[in-house]
Amino acid sequence: MVDTAVRPVSTPEPERASHAAEPRIDQAAVGAALLGTWADVRRQARQMIKDSAFWKVDGLTIHDHRERVFGQLQLLVDAGVSGVAYPTEYGGRADNGANIAGFEELVLADPSLQIKAGVQWGLFGAAIQQLGTKKHHDLWLDDVRELKLPGAFAMTETGHGSDVAAIGTTATYDVETAEFVIHTPFRGAWKDYLGNAAVHGRAATVFAQLITGGVNYGVHCFFVPIRDEAGAFLPGVGGEDDGVKGGLNGIDNGRLHFDQVRVPRENLLNRYGDVAADGTYSSDIPSPGRRFFTMLGALVQGRISLDGAATTGTALALKIAVTYANQRRQFDGGTPEGELTLFDYGKHRRRLIPRIATVYAQAFAHDEFLKKFDGVFSGRTDTPQEREDLETLAAALKPLSTWNALETIQEAREACGGAGFLAENRLVGLHADLDVYVTFEGDNNILLQLVGKRLLTDFATQFKGADAAKLARYAVGQVAGRAFHGAGLRQIGQAFVDAGSTARSVEYGLRGERQHELLAGRVQQMVTDVATRLRPAAKLDATAAAELFSDNQADLIAAARAHAELLQWEAFTDGLALIDDEDSRQVLTWLRDLFGLQLIEKNLAWYLIHGRLSTHRAASVSKYIDRLCARLRHHAQDLVDAWGFEPEHVRAPIASGAERARQDEARAYYRDLAASGVAPVTEKSLGKKKR
Amino acid sequence: MVDTAVRPVSTPEPERASHAAEPRIDQAAVGAALLGTWADVRRQARQMIKDSAFWKVDGLTIHDHRERVFGQLQLLVDAGVSGVAYPTEYGGRADNGANIAGFEELVLADPSLQIKAGVQWGLFGAAIQQLGTKKHHDLWLDDVRELKLPGAFAMTETGHGSDVAAIGTTATYDVETAEFVIHTPFRGAWKDYLGNAAVHGRAATVFAQLITGGVNYGVHCFFVPIRDEAGAFLPGVGGEDDGVKGGLNGIDNGRLHFDQVRVPRENLLNRYGDVAADGTYSSDIPSPGRRFFTMLGALVQGRISLDGAATTGTALALKIAVTYANQRRQFDGGTPEGELTLFDYGKHRRRLIPRIATVYAQAFAHDEFLKKFDGVFSGRTDTPQEREDLETLAAALKPLSTWNALETIQEAREACGGAGFLAENRLVGLHADLDVYVTFEGDNNILLQLVGKRLLTDFATQFKGADAAKLARYAVGQVAGRAFHGAGLRQIGQAFVDAGSTARSVEYGLRGERQHELLAGRVQQMVTDVATRLRPAAKLDATAAAELFSDNQADLIAAARAHAELLQWEAFTDGLALIDDEDSRQVLTWLRDLFGLQLIEKNLAWYLIHGRLSTHRAASVSKYIDRLCARLRHHAQDLVDAWGFEPEHVRAPIASGAERARQDEARAYYRDLAASGVAPVTEKSLGKKKR
């Protein structure tokens, strides 16, 4: 990668005045890069949802909203875009990447539609596809794709969310009748929060502990009919409506419970484990742990689509807030321009522009992620290593993008004031609907903890069977590291280099590869520190070991987060290389720098404490960010416009140009009034006259 | 204040084991301190709203919710608690503090009710009371109090939110008819976001530019009838419904506009400015600026009640999340206890316990605030200085508590997983309803900017007419300060002191008064830095000066925030002195320390860069917080219970004990199953047997 940020800019000062002479991005080129590998599929999806039949209508009753979204699913079937990932013999296109890319865009129409489609075809359907075998596909996949068989994905229980291995529902094989008996043994084992469960589902893919011959073979998935054609529960099946939720009220989430419900032996989705008629269990994967994670891993696509949809929703929020910030005027600056636009205020720029950088990083990272998924699920690159990497990537990226969605949408809503609180301007609805993304398909903290454990494992692997020399080198590195941050030697050295330097040469040490070094170094150090602190755990009893882990849990999660941020930074940097247009690459390099610097600023104390930045250089980080925000201020509109949202996707009156029209009308009124000669004078001017 | 945290704790280790021997708070005593000066009024209000007629019902249509809340206002009238602040001759109790205290508690019933009551009696009614005179009180105050005259407070315009001075609506005096002509000259001058405007309002207190004799005397307030008895707009008045909002949908926000609407001269609320029949303007306050701020200042109570209600709402969210964290179990720790409670996890403690500290600080600060308000508005301490302090306090505290409400409620919702997303568990509703608190009654950033400007003014006052010696001392201080953080002399000195010290003695430097020193020092330094950087503005042209301000705006707001946090810290510390019970004071001192330390941790990089903490001591801040969280883990339930919320206030199934019952049932099931001898064995144990 060429670090074009290093290129000196000849006019360091008044961006405001000189911005006409500055490079501008080529919106089409940047837009294509943002749309990524499946750009055409995304464009088609966006074209389709320009039809208002797909749009969210605010203020519907929960009943009407649910029925509207169910109707929209049928529209997707009619448009031939359901089950795109399914095999061609079941009407699909066997295209995993395109399937996810297309569905992610539905978030622009109504997040309830995106998630309800995800429940039907991506969870319920994918369980049949990924965990079932040909007999199951033959029986159900057509009906699932065509919405003739709406279904729920019955994994989560009231008592167990992210800890799926511990669910209570049992599926006990009865060799006499060759049936599985699905049973809910206690209230905490009720299935809960299931889309399609409250109203529309006719069947469910139920996860339960498979018991045969007195042995529990762990969690497996079963196809269980739950309602008859008239919509009444089948015998032994019961449930409840989850009622009103914080958002996504177009989805009928509910609870299910089973009282000794019998299903044929064949209803076990048996790709990874089977039970013969005589009750004998068999599986290609002997390790129960690995089998469990393989089954869960087959359903990774949910996390991928959340990462993508959260990124698109965040970009939409920024499109709205940035457009408003460039049109809305407030408070007279005492300048010839009169009232200033919101973006004339330094604080407002600081609130919004770094967030544009983050959503760009997310978009580039997401495309890498989706390509890896497509490679694995198409079979082209389906190796255990790639699968493991894919799952780690999912566990790393989904938390960051979904949390950032909530933070950014909230900041956007506040940046639009009272107008931001009106449903018509979309922001509050986006926040409400995307809220649950941070805890479903794996709670974000639990996912990051998985990433942290993977980092610890990789760390340990380096020293497995290590010879004495290798360990010695490690020990030396450790001690040296400690000496550095304990006594601040590195810090003093750097301070020496920085002494007498100008602001720009201090900044030089914060660019391109140096950002990478800082970000990567932090991950490495944090993992090493946690690993070192956890080492005594092996010698402790279970309670003390659990406490030791608990004491280090927050740091482990922080290390995982740092790792995920590094991945985003790297993806953004790799993405720069894809931009041919030089001006665009220049502006995007500033944006990448802004992304990197805000990560460093957020953890500035860490860099100082660990002697990785001098106080002098650390102090320059925030100033550099301020300068980048000022420089990017006149590119902000281009950058959010490059996402290519059309008015039918934005649909927020405050981002429609109405605000500019109102401002122009008001300014014209006062101009005309002044020209008329009958304008009232101010009391102040009166006082002057009197004197 | 005695810093009891300095008292050494003999058992530094296993809090988990020794917590039975630890001090416990006296919930009644602490609860009384939290309820504050108007504890009895708050208890009465809470008793009243135990009646389910006051509760929010989720899933109502916007129409039904609005009608329900309007009906609830009538219940308040019937209970005799409307207009408590009004003079006794109009059925009130002339009790300003009690009025606010009582209404704040309504947030527990339904935030829409709190805000709708605030619109009717605290904004519309208070405008008549505070800005009007006896003739206005005689005409309308009884009807307002009894809800016979529902009204809107028509200040904000579509084009002008926080910048009230620039509103476009005009009130031009017609000497011929002795009437004011209320007029909306362009679309941006429509009144907007007004509660009671869409449906229920019969009149409005309209803010408009008062023009008489060709002179604009600035913003004044007018009583304007808007609807007839049948609910139809009066001639010349028009409006629109703001429609669905992100929350508070029990309030009928809407827009109003006026086409040459005539009202009698007497409808000018003339306490601070009047127009004689012949059109002559008069006012006791000659300065237009001071007159404007006096009028706005008369309405400060809105900000006060938001501060209090946000604090109560935040405490409720923590009550729910902490109760759940102590009952919910997830993931087997491999320990004899089996599955661990959420609070056994270090990360979960870190998420919730520091937030308990913050809401306590808010409560103590709010009571100080309310006492100051009551003193000023009762006339006991009504001096210009006290009024100015009160307004600065309002501008400082309301932003912090309302932002913290959103952050804490969101963290609480996430900490409750999927259950947190269900409306029945309250958290999503609280977030949605309290969202707009951060931008209404003054956008939080604009309010903090006001505080910042006050800090700058105070700073400048120190040097007004300063003699040479004083300035020289200042200059020396400045240079010394710079030398410290530039070259890190103070840092090195401190590092020397810290060398060889134990962790506890490092912590010693982070306790009690040392926290105050760090927090106060930061405010002082930040204000000095911004003031110094802004000094050249006086010599610049308007555009350059505006840019200089813009470049420093974010830092000014940060300084104001630091100031507000210091005020909260001081109030918490003063509050400790009110606690007689020694154990309670001990636990609350830990909590105060946690509050102070998290403020320092949040700005740790600043303390390092400015040489106010050594890297060694800075590194100990986070560890100290971890230890305090562990120590307070077994007090967390007591601390949230001390708020005294009863089941009718909490109303969240997950905080009702249902979760504990479910967990107990599940554990009993597995215990009985194990005892029965017919429990299925694990596959793993099977493998061991085979080997």
Side-chain angles (χ1 to χ4, degrees):
Chain A
M1 183 217 66
V2 178
D3 183 359
T4 51
V6 176
R7 202 177 63 176
V9 178
S10 51
T11 51
E13 267 301 325
E15 270 81 20
R16 214 170 297 233
S18 71
H19 71 270
E22 280 216 352
R24 281 192 67 173
I25 64 164
D26 175 342
Q27 280 191 32
V30 172
L34 290 171
L35 288 174
T37 308
W38 286 270
D40 287 343
V41 176
R42 293 188 192 276
R43 288 195 190 98
Q44 284 161 21
R46 289 192 187 175
Q47 186 59 38
M48 177 181 72
I49 58 173
K50 285 166 79 171
D51 180 346
S52 62
F54 289 101
W55 301 351
K56 181 176 179 183
V57 175
D58 293 305
L60 292 182
T61 63
I62 183 169
H63 174 267
D64 290 351
H65 193 185
R66 287 169 170 185
E67 291 310 308
R68 178 177 173 85
V69 171
F70 191 69
Q72 290 168 337
L73 287 197
Q74 192 59 54
L75 294 179
L76 296 177
V77 173
D78 298 345
V81 295
S82 62
V84 170
Y86 298 167
T88 49
E89 54 267 47
Y90 306 104
R93 287 182 246 157
D95 192 336
N96 290 280
N99 181 55
I100 299 295
F103 274 100
E104 286 170 353
E105 299 297 321
L106 298 180
V107 76
L108 296 167
D110 183 348
S112 285
L113 173 58
Q114 184 226 336
I115 299 299
K116 180 105 169 173
V119 167
Q120 172 66 15
W121 296 303
L123 288 172
F124 173 65
I128 295 170
Q129 186 201 354
Q130 299 288 341
L131 305 181
T133 49
K134 186 166 186 305
K135 63 183 174 189
H136 305 117
H137 303 168
D138 288 347
L139 273 171
W140 301 308
L141 224 41
D142 270 332
D143 284 354
V144 170
R145 186 180 51 72
E146 294 176 8
L147 201 62
K148 289 176 187 159
L149 178 65
F153 179 78
M155 177 186 272
T156 299
E157 296 180 353
T158 304
H160 284 96
S162 294
D163 186 9
V164 177
I167 56 171
T169 304
T170 51
T172 309
Y173 186 63
D174 181 349
V175 71
E176 301 298 321
T177 60
E179 289 173 323
F180 282 101
V181 182
I182 312 292
H183 187 64
T184 307
F186 46 81
R187 174 62 186 82
W190 282 26
K191 297 296 178 181
D192 208 344
Y193 316 118
L194 321 175
N196 269 342
V199 179
H200 296 130
R202 293 292 158 92
T205 46
V206 178
F207 289 78
Q209 307 284 350
L210 189 161
I211 298 164
T212 178
V215 180
N216 182 342
Y217 287 90
V219 174
H220 288 66
C221 188
F222 301 82
F223 181 95
V224 183
I226 58 168
R227 282 193 179 87
D228 63 22
E229 287 298 311
F233 277 129
L234 294 172
V237 181
E240 268 180 7
D241 196 320
D242 275 324
V244 181
K245 304 184 300 293
L248 297 183
N249 280 307
I251 306 171
D252 56 322
N253 293 79
R255 305 176 179 123
L256 293 175
H257 52 85
F258 304 95
D259 182 11
Q260 313 282 353
V261 172
R262 288 175 171 265
V263 296
R265 181 177 66 95
E266 290 76 14
N267 282 24
L268 166 63
L269 300 174
N270 61 341
R271 178 162 164 193
Y272 296 109
D274 203 1
V275 171
D278 68 355
T280 310
Y281 182 82
S282 63
S283 170
D284 290 343
I285 308 175
S287 154
R290 203 158 73 75
R291 190 191 312 135
F292 172 71
F293 284 109
T294 302
M295 283 195 245
L296 290 199
L299 304 165
V300 72
Q301 58 183 313
R303 289 174 191 167
I304 301 177
S305 66
L306 296 186
D307 181 58
T311 299
T312 304
T314 305
L316 176 61
L318 285 169
K319 162 85 179 179
I320 293 168
V322 166
T323 303
Y324 189 65
N326 272 321
Q327 298 186 4
R328 174 75 166 182
R329 292 176 179 276
Q330 202 75 205
F331 289 104
D332 196 309
T335 67
E337 286 198 41
E339 289 183 318
L340 303 175
T341 67
L342 299 185
F343 249 4
D344 289 326
Y345 294 97
K347 176 71 179 176
H348 212 83
R349 294 199 287 264
R350 258 283 195 165
R351 293 169 78 177
L352 295 178
I353 295 178
R355 295 178 182 277
I356 301 175
T358 303
V359 78
Y360 265 68
Q362 285 176 206
F364 287 115
H366 179 69
D367 197 54
E368 289 299 315
F369 182 19
L370 195 51
K371 279 192 286 189
K372 190 179 274 282
F373 163 73
D374 190 64
V376 169
F377 277 70
S378 67
R380 286 194 310 277
T381 56
D382 189 2
T383 65
Q385 178 66 35
E386 280 286 308
R387 284 214 171 228
E388 199 179 344
D389 284 354
L390 177 65
E391 281 155 37
T392 306
L393 205 52
L397 296 181
K398 178 263 188 183
L400 265 59
S401 55
T402 55
W403 269 327
N404 184 55
L406 296 191
E407 286 167 21
T408 300
I409 294 165
Q410 182 66 28
E411 191 69 61
R413 122 77 194 119
E414 294 179 27
C416 295
F421 193 58
L422 302 187
E424 64 178 27
N425 289 320
R426 307 286 307 278
L427 299 166
V428 288
L430 281 171
H431 192 283
D433 289 329
L434 269 57
D435 182 358
V436 77
Y437 288 31
V438 303
T439 52
F440 73 2
E441 298 268 339
D443 176 273
N444 280 358
N445 278 302
I446 304 288
L447 290 178
L448 285 180
Q449 188 169 298
L450 283 177
V451 174
K453 286 183 174 171
R454 171 77 188 273
L455 292 172
L456 287 178
T457 307
D458 288 356
F459 180 83
T461 305
Q462 286 178 43
F463 301 104
K464 200 177 269 180
D467 59 22
K470 196 170 172 187
L471 274 170
R473 275 198 306 278
Y474 165 75
V476 169
Q478 270 299 87
V479 172
R482 276 168 190 238
F484 279 151
H485 34 104
L489 289 181
R490 187 178 298 178
Q491 184 176 350
I492 288 171
Q494 195 182 70
F496 181 76
V497 171
D498 288 347
S501 66
T502 69
R504 293 222 166 253
S505 73
V506 172
E507 280 178 9
Y508 186 84
L510 295 169
R511 286 180 184 164
E513 281 311 310
R514 181 69 180 131
Q515 290 167 28
H516 186 256
E517 209 180 295
L518 287 167
L519 297 173
R522 181 161 177 263
V523 177
Q524 203 173 2
Q525 181 75 56
M526 290 176 89
V527 173
T528 306
D529 287 350
V530 172
T532 307
R533 290 202 301 273
L534 288 179
R535 193 159 304 173
K539 291 170 198 154
L540 299 174
D541 69 31
T543 302
E547 274 190 43
L548 181 64
F549 175 77
S550 175
D551 290 345
N552 286 283
Q553 187 194 22
D555 284 346
L556 181 63
I557 290 172
R561 188 178 178 109
H563 172 71
E565 289 165 345
L566 175 64
L567 296 179
Q568 289 181 332
W569 188 94
E570 290 174 341
F572 197 161
T573 301
D574 291 345
L576 292 176
L578 303 177
I579 310 280
D580 289 328
D581 177 63
E582 199 177 323
D583 280 4
S584 300
R585 204 170 54 242
Q586 171 65 81
V587 175
L588 261 57
T589 301
W590 293 332
L591 198 65
R592 193 281 321 270
D593 286 346
L594 181 55
F595 178 64
L597 287 165
Q598 65 174 316
L599 295 178
I600 293 164
E601 185 186 49
K602 199 175 63 173
N603 299 297
L604 205 52
W606 188 93
Y607 287 104
L608 284 159
I609 289 172
H610 291 80
R612 301 198 177 232
L613 282 177
S614 68
T615 51
H616 194 51
R617 188 161 290 176
S620 73
V621 169
S622 297
K623 288 175 204 149
Y624 195 3
I625 290 176
D626 287 338
R627 259 201 296 280
L628 283 168
C629 286
R631 178 179 284 163
L632 287 163
R633 177 246 189 279
H634 288 288
H635 301 282
Q637 193 69 52
D638 288 349
L639 290 166
V640 296
D641 288 351
W643 285 85
F645 301 129
E646 298 187 59
E648 294 86 349
H649 305 127
V650 179
R651 307 197 300 278
I654 49 166
S656 66
E659 181 62 26
R660 192 190 298 281
R662 277 196 295 266
Q663 296 288 343
D664 290 348
E665 184 200 1
R667 289 156 82 85
Y669 166 82
Y670 287 116
R671 208 168 39 236
D672 293 350
L673 189 65
S676 72
V678 298
V681 300
T682 66
E683 189 180 0
K684 220 170 155 184
S685 68
L686 193 70
K688 279 178 196 157
K689 266 186 265 172
K690 273 186 194 160
R691 261 174 236 130
Chain B
M1 183 218 66
V2 178
D3 183 358
T4 49
V6 177
R7 200 177 64 176
V9 177
S10 52
T11 51
E13 266 300 327
E15 270 82 17
R16 214 171 297 229
S18 70
H19 71 269
E22 283 217 349
R24 281 191 67 172
I25 64 165
D26 175 342
Q27 281 190 32
V30 172
L34 290 171
L35 287 174
T37 308
W38 287 269
D40 287 343
V41 176
R42 293 188 192 277
R43 288 196 190 98
Q44 282 161 21
R46 288 192 187 176
Q47 186 60 36
M48 177 181 71
I49 57 173
K50 285 167 79 172
D51 180 345
S52 62
F54 289 102
W55 301 352
K56 181 176 177 182
V57 175
D58 294 306
L60 291 183
T61 63
I62 183 169
H63 173 269
D64 290 350
H65 193 185
R66 286 169 170 184
E67 291 310 308
R68 179 177 174 84
V69 171
F70 189 69
Q72 290 167 338
L73 287 198
Q74 192 58 55
L75 295 179
L76 295 177
V77 174
D78 299 344
V81 295
S82 61
V84 170
Y86 298 167
T88 49
E89 53 267 48
Y90 306 104
R93 288 181 243 157
D95 192 336
N96 290 281
N99 181 53
I100 299 295
F103 274 99
E104 286 171 353
E105 300 296 322
L106 298 180
V107 75
L108 296 167
D110 182 349
S112 284
L113 173 58
Q114 184 226 337
I115 299 300
K116 180 106 170 174
V119 167
Q120 172 66 17
W121 296 302
L123 289 172
F124 172 66
I128 295 169
Q129 185 199 356
Q130 299 288 343
L131 305 181
T133 48
K134 186 166 187 305
K135 62 182 175 188
H136 305 118
H137 302 168
D138 288 346
L139 273 171
W140 302 308
L141 225 40
D142 270 332
D143 285 353
V144 169
R145 187 181 49 73
E146 293 175 8
L147 201 61
K148 290 176 186 160
L149 179 63
F153 179 79
M155 177 185 271
T156 298
E157 297 181 353
T158 304
H160 284 96
S162 295
D163 185 8
V164 177
I167 57 171
T169 304
T170 52
T172 309
Y173 184 64
D174 180 349
V175 71
E176 301 298 323
T177 61
E179 289 170 323
F180 283 102
V181 183
I182 311 292
H183 187 63
T184 307
F186 45 82
R187 174 61 186 82
W190 283 26
K191 298 294 179 182
D192 208 344
Y193 318 119
L194 321 175
N196 269 342
V199 180
H200 296 129
R202 292 291 157 95
T205 46
V206 178
F207 289 78
Q209 307 285 350
L210 188 161
I211 299 164
T212 179
V215 179
N216 182 343
Y217 288 91
V219 174
H220 288 66
C221 187
F222 301 83
F223 182 95
V224 183
I226 59 168
R227 282 195 178 86
D228 63 21
E229 286 297 311
F233 277 127
L234 294 172
V237 181
E240 270 180 6
D241 196 320
D242 275 325
V244 182
K245 304 186 297 296
L248 298 182
N249 279 306
I251 305 170
D252 56 323
N253 293 80
R255 307 177 177 122
L256 292 176
H257 51 87
F258 305 94
D259 181 12
Q260 313 283 354
V261 173
R262 289 174 170 267
V263 296
R265 181 177 67 92
E266 291 75 14
N267 282 24
L268 166 63
L269 300 175
N270 62 342
R271 177 162 167 195
Y272 295 109
D274 203 1
V275 171
D278 68 355
T280 310
Y281 181 83
S282 63
S283 170
D284 292 342
I285 308 176
S287 155
R290 205 160 71 75
R291 189 191 313 136
F292 173 71
F293 285 110
T294 303
M295 284 196 246
L296 290 199
L299 304 164
V300 71
Q301 57 182 313
R303 288 173 192 167
I304 302 177
S305 67
L306 296 186
D307 181 57
T311 299
T312 304
T314 304
L316 175 62
L318 285 169
K319 162 85 178 178
I320 293 168
V322 167
T323 303
Y324 189 64
N326 272 322
Q327 297 186 6
R328 173 76 166 182
R329 292 176 178 275
Q330 202 74 206
F331 288 106
D332 196 309
T335 68
E337 287 200 38
E339 289 183 317
L340 303 175
T341 68
L342 298 186
F343 248 4
D344 289 326
Y345 294 97
K347 176 71 179 174
H348 212 82
R349 295 199 287 263
R350 258 283 195 166
R351 293 169 78 178
L352 296 178
I353 295 177
R355 295 176 181 280
I356 300 174
T358 304
V359 80
Y360 265 69
Q362 286 176 204
F364 287 114
H366 180 69
D367 197 54
E368 290 299 315
F369 183 18
L370 194 52
K371 278 191 287 188
K372 188 177 276 284
F373 163 73
D374 189 65
V376 169
F377 277 69
S378 68
R380 287 195 309 277
T381 56
D382 190 2
T383 66
Q385 179 65 35
E386 281 286 308
R387 285 214 172 227
E388 198 180 346
D389 285 354
L390 177 65
E391 281 154 38
T392 305
L393 206 51
L397 296 182
K398 178 262 188 183
L400 265 58
S401 56
T402 56
W403 269 327
N404 184 54
L406 296 191
E407 285 167 23
T408 300
I409 294 165
Q410 182 66 28
E411 192 69 61
R413 122 78 193 119
E414 294 180 26
C416 296
F421 193 59
L422 302 187
E424 65 178 26
N425 289 319
R426 308 284 310 275
L427 299 166
V428 287
L430 281 171
H431 192 282
D433 288 329
L434 269 59
D435 183 356
V436 78
Y437 289 30
V438 303
T439 53
F440 72 3
E441 298 270 337
D443 175 274
N444 280 358
N445 278 301
I446 305 287
L447 291 178
L448 286 180
Q449 188 170 298
L450 283 177
V451 175
K453 286 181 174 173
R454 171 79 188 271
L455 292 173
L456 287 178
T457 307
D458 288 355
F459 179 83
T461 307
Q462 286 179 41
F463 301 104
K464 201 178 269 181
D467 60 19
K470 193 170 174 187
L471 274 170
R473 275 199 305 279
Y474 166 75
V476 169
Q478 271 298 89
V479 172
R482 275 169 192 239
F484 281 152
H485 32 106
L489 289 181
R490 186 177 299 178
Q491 182 175 353
I492 287 170
Q494 196 182 68
F496 180 76
V497 171
D498 288 347
S501 66
T502 68
R504 289 218 170 258
S505 73
V506 172
E507 280 177 11
Y508 186 83
L510 294 169
R511 285 178 187 167
E513 282 310 309
R514 180 68 181 131
Q515 290 167 29
H516 187 255
E517 207 179 296
L518 287 167
L519 296 172
R522 182 161 176 263
V523 177
Q524 204 173 1
Q525 180 74 58
M526 290 176 89
V527 173
T528 307
D529 288 350
V530 172
T532 307
R533 291 202 301 273
L534 288 179
R535 191 159 305 175
K539 293 171 198 155
L540 299 174
D541 69 33
T543 302
E547 274 189 43
L548 181 64
F549 176 77
S550 174
D551 290 345
N552 286 284
Q553 187 193 21
D555 284 346
L556 181 63
I557 289 172
R561 190 182 175 105
H563 172 71
E565 289 165 346
L566 175 65
L567 296 178
Q568 289 181 330
W569 188 94
E570 290 173 343
F572 198 160
T573 301
D574 291 346
L576 293 176
L578 303 177
I579 310 282
D580 289 327
D581 178 63
E582 198 178 324
D583 280 4
S584 300
R585 204 171 54 244
Q586 170 65 81
V587 174
L588 260 57
T589 302
W590 293 333
L591 198 65
R592 192 281 320 271
D593 286 346
L594 181 55
F595 177 65
L597 287 165
Q598 64 174 317
L599 295 179
I600 293 164
E601 186 187 47
K602 199 174 63 171
N603 300 298
L604 205 52
W606 188 93
Y607 287 103
L608 284 160
I609 288 172
H610 292 80
R612 299 194 178 234
L613 281 177
S614 68
T615 51
H616 195 51
R617 189 162 289 176
S620 74
V621 170
S622 297
K623 287 176 205 150
Y624 195 3
I625 291 177
D626 287 338
R627 259 201 296 279
L628 284 168
C629 285
R631 178 179 284 162
L632 288 163
R633 177 247 190 279
H634 289 288
H635 301 282
Q637 193 70 51
D638 288 348
L639 290 166
V640 296
D641 288 351
W643 284 85
F645 301 130
E646 298 188 59
E648 293 86 349
H649 305 127
V650 180
R651 306 197 301 277
I654 49 167
S656 67
E659 181 62 26
R660 192 191 297 280
R662 278 196 294 266
Q663 297 288 343
D664 290 348
E665 185 200 1
R667 290 157 81 85
Y669 167 81
Y670 287 117
R671 207 167 41 234
D672 294 350
L673 189 64
S676 72
V678 299
V681 298
T682 66
E683 191 180 358
K684 219 170 156 187
S685 68
L686 193 70
K688 279 181 196 155
K689 267 187 264 172
K690 273 186 189 159
R691 259 174 239 128

